[in-house]
Amino acid sequence: MSKTIEIGKLTDIPKLGSRVVKTQQGNIAIFRTMEDEVFALHDSCPHKQGALSQGIVHGKSVTCPLHNWVIGLDDGEAKGHDTGCTKTFEAHQEGGMVYLVLDEV
């Protein structure tokens, strides 16, 4: 069972930026790309748990601010020679609003 929660307006998240949502499942970073796509990841790098929400968004990836690991926004997988994964969540926008889908705990 899952539930969809309204996060806010798309324009509240800067292009190539993020916003953190505190949930029972931990902090979730909602990212906005230059093309206005939205993605949601657990706000923790698989390497040293750096806050991905403070990283640099480029294309459909984010670079962790601690050690420059590049994490795919669509799959949460580390890119290049690094290995690891952070949990992804379903996020979408509709009518200028951003929604996050969470499994009920």
Side-chain angles (χ1 to χ4, degrees):
M1 192 81 173
S2 62
K3 67 177 179 179
T4 301
I5 58 173
E6 184 180 289
I7 302 302
K9 295 178 183 176
L10 177 66
T11 54
D12 290 342
I13 305 171
K15 286 187 181 260
L16 302 179
S18 66
R19 180 175 179 182
V20 176
V21 178
K22 296 181 186 232
T23 73
Q24 291 181 341
Q25 298 175 34
N27 289 349
I28 298 173
I30 312 293
F31 295 93
R32 178 182 176 190
T33 68
M34 185 60 86
E35 292 76 29
D36 291 335
E37 292 180 278
V38 291
F39 297 93
L41 299 176
H42 185 242
D43 191 20
S44 179
C45 179
H47 178 223
K48 296 284 186 179
Q49 290 72 52
L52 293 174
S53 60
Q54 296 176 21
I56 298 170
V57 177
H58 46 96
K60 291 185 180 179
S61 300
V62 60
T63 298
C64 178
L66 291 185
H67 299 99
N68 296 325
W69 276 38
V70 177
I71 308 298
L73 294 175
D74 54 349
D75 60 8
E77 294 282 340
K79 304 296 181 192
H81 298 290
D82 300 319
T83 58
C85 183
T86 193
K87 183 173 174 64
T88 61
F89 299 87
E90 181 183 339
H92 62 276
Q93 62 151 325
E94 184 176 320
M97 299 299 289
V98 177
Y99 298 91
L100 175 65
V101 180
L102 295 173
D103 293 332
E104 292 196 49
V105 286

